[in-house]
């Protein structure tokens, strides 16, 4: 099997992973998000033959991609990985990075996703939303329906 066949792109089934990473980046801000993923990267042993996660920048609603700020952070992270392990440049995914696509080792992507999930709990924001509606005088049922409506509009 050719080495570059070991590339996994962002697809519809990855939307939950993408969303949790995006939310963490938004919650922390670009600078703090970059510090966190940089730390995760330093803990990651780079294998030049690893499976690659190809990450595209969001450019059109019909395509799955990451918003600009977290994408730029991951793009800089990929540059750091190449500095640490220049053999990654033998991989087309790392050689052909540009303004619209970057790449990370799949295991590092999973580490970032796990970290994001540990720091962002969607149930917590749902509970905060419900409590806020109850304080506004909504009944429990009205608050629940408002939560559903807000999720449909997102």
């Amino acid at each position: 099997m050719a080495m570059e066949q070991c590339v996994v792109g962002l697809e519809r089934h990855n939307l939950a992973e993408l969303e949790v990473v995006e939310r963490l980046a938004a919650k922390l801000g670009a600078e703090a998000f970059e510090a966190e993923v940089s730390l995760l990267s330093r803990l990651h042993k780079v294998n030049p033959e690893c499976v690659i996660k190809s990450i595209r920048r969001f450019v059109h609603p019909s395509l799955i991609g990451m918003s600009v700020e977290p994408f730029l952070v991951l793009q800089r992270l990929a540059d750091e990985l190449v500095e640490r392990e220049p053999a990654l440049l033998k991989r087309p995914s790392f050689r052909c990075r540009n303004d619209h696509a970057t790449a990370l080792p799949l295991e590092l992507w999973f580490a970032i996703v796990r970290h994001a999930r540990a720091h962002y709990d969607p149930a917590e924001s749902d509970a905060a939303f419900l409590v806020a509606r109850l304080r506004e005088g909504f009944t429990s049922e009205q608050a629940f329906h408002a939560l559903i409506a807000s999720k449909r509009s997102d």
Side-chain angles (χ1 to χ4, degrees), residues 57-126:
R57 192 178 91 188
F58 180 80
V59 292
H60 189 273
S62 67
L63 303 173
I64 297 171
M66 181 170 271
S67 62
V68 174
E69 287 301 317
F71 175 83
L72 292 174
V73 167
L74 296 185
Q75 195 174 44
R76 287 189 293 273
L77 184 63
D79 293 342
E80 289 175 22
L81 291 170
V82 168
E83 285 179 27
R84 280 177 42 202
E85 183 53 70
L88 286 171
L89 289 176
K90 293 179 182 175
R91 308 285 299 272
S93 294
F94 274 90
R95 254 193 339 268
C96 300
R97 293 170 292 129
N98 57 40
D99 291 343
H100 297 290
T102 193
L104 292 177
L106 183 61
E107 288 303 316
L108 178 55
W109 169 257
F110 286 149
I112 293 168
V113 170
R114 281 190 301 274
H115 182 73
R117 284 184 175 147
H119 285 81
Y120 175 77
D121 181 2
E124 180 182 339
S125 65
D126 289 352

